[in-house]
Amino acid sequence: LGSGSVAPDPAYSGFPQWLERVQGDSMDREYRNGDLVHVVDAIAVGYVAQHGDHVILCRRRVSGGEVERTIKEVVRTPTGVEFWPRSTNPRWAKPIVLSDGIDQDDSSEVEVAALVIGSYRPRR
């Protein structure tokens, strides 16, 4: 994935902020492969899921032996919070739904690791 430092957004002054490179197409309606997203540490800011936010989820499988970071859009529903891809790829057509931090679909542990506060599309 790759990451890097970034000039901090003053709205989140004092909280860890960094860049993460987008890899894959699960959010390609919003971010292309290779784009950089500017994020702030969700745990440090005490993030509470808000409808429409984009977040980085950290998924742990195989007792933490396999870790994936993925961007999803927060959608509040009458039954709770869902994390939706925004993709042109039909493979990514359903949300991640959690029950006590566990993905109901594949039993992986999932946490909101970062809030996306901006993005950058490199020209080269």
Side-chain angles (χ1 to χ4, degrees):
L1 282 172
S3 62
S5 59
V6 64
D9 181 326
Y12 297 95
S13 180
F15 295 105
Q17 298 177 43
W18 63 92
L19 296 173
E20 293 202 24
R21 187 170 306 279
V22 175
Q23 183 178 16
D25 63 357
S26 71
M27 282 290 285
D28 68 353
R29 290 185 190 272
E30 299 284 337
Y31 312 106
R32 294 181 192 161
N33 196 44
D35 285 0
L36 296 167
V37 291
H38 181 175
V39 300
V40 61
D41 188 304
I43 296 165
V45 299
Y47 177 73
V48 175
Q50 300 294 316
H51 185 82
D53 283 350
H54 291 179
V55 295
I56 304 261
L57 298 178
C58 185
R59 299 171 69 128
R60 291 179 179 83
R61 296 183 183 100
V62 193
S63 300
E66 181 181 316
V67 178
E68 171 194 22
R69 292 173 79 82
T70 184
I71 303 173
K72 296 294 178 269
E73 183 172 319
V74 176
V75 175
R76 288 199 163 272
T77 71
T79 58
V81 175
E82 298 177 349
F83 300 93
W84 278 85
R86 297 297 182 216
S87 180
T88 58
N89 184 339
R91 179 179 178 199
W92 313 119
K94 63 181 188 172
I96 295 172
V97 180
L98 304 179
S99 177
D100 295 323
I102 304 297
D103 185 333
Q104 293 178 351
D105 188 43
D106 70 2
S107 299
S108 60
E109 296 175 24
V110 180
E111 72 176 345
V112 177
L115 170 64
V116 176
I117 57 176
S119 63
Y120 169 73
R121 181 163 296 145
R123 289 184 56 132
R124 297 180 191 191

